Amino acid sequence: MSTVISVRIKREIKEELERQGIDIDAEVRKLLEELYLKVKAKEYVKKWIEELNEVKPSDEGFSVSSVREDRESH
């Protein structure tokens, strides 16, 4: 599903862009889609940070003992 938006710009800008062969509709659509992706990425990062802040840190020395245990099991 899609929706329509309209934007007003100076006539001279529109005419120059068209004269240069630029597809204004496609460029605006591309810009808005990229902006959407950035906003969604920012939301996901914020959510991940919040979730990571709730994770209890490992006990000191856990990684050392875990690696040692793994090595010795082979």
Side-chain angles (χ1 to χ4, degrees):
M1 182 181 226
S2 63
T3 187
V4 176
I5 63 169
S6 63
V7 178
R8 288 190 183 272
I9 61 171
K10 293 181 180 178
R11 177 175 284 146
E12 65 187 67
I13 294 172
K14 179 180 183 277
E15 290 172 353
E16 181 62 25
L17 292 174
E18 288 174 341
R19 193 171 20 259
Q20 295 296 325
I22 295 172
D23 183 349
I24 297 170
D25 291 338
E27 292 297 324
V28 170
R29 191 175 305 109
K30 180 176 146 186
L31 175 71
L32 291 175
E33 288 171 354
E34 289 173 359
L35 181 59
Y36 168 80
L37 292 174
K38 287 179 185 178
V39 167
K40 293 307 284 182
K42 204 178 262 191
E43 274 182 15
Y44 285 124
V45 169
K46 182 180 177 185
K47 181 181 174 189
W48 294 333
I49 289 172
E50 289 172 357
E51 289 179 8
L52 286 173
N53 283 333
E54 295 174 7
V55 174
K56 181 184 130 196
S58 300
D59 296 329
E60 189 168 329
F62 170 77
S63 59
V64 172
S65 63
S66 178
V67 169
R68 184 173 292 124
E69 181 181 315
D70 188 48
R71 286 182 181 162
E72 292 171 358
S73 70
H74 289 17

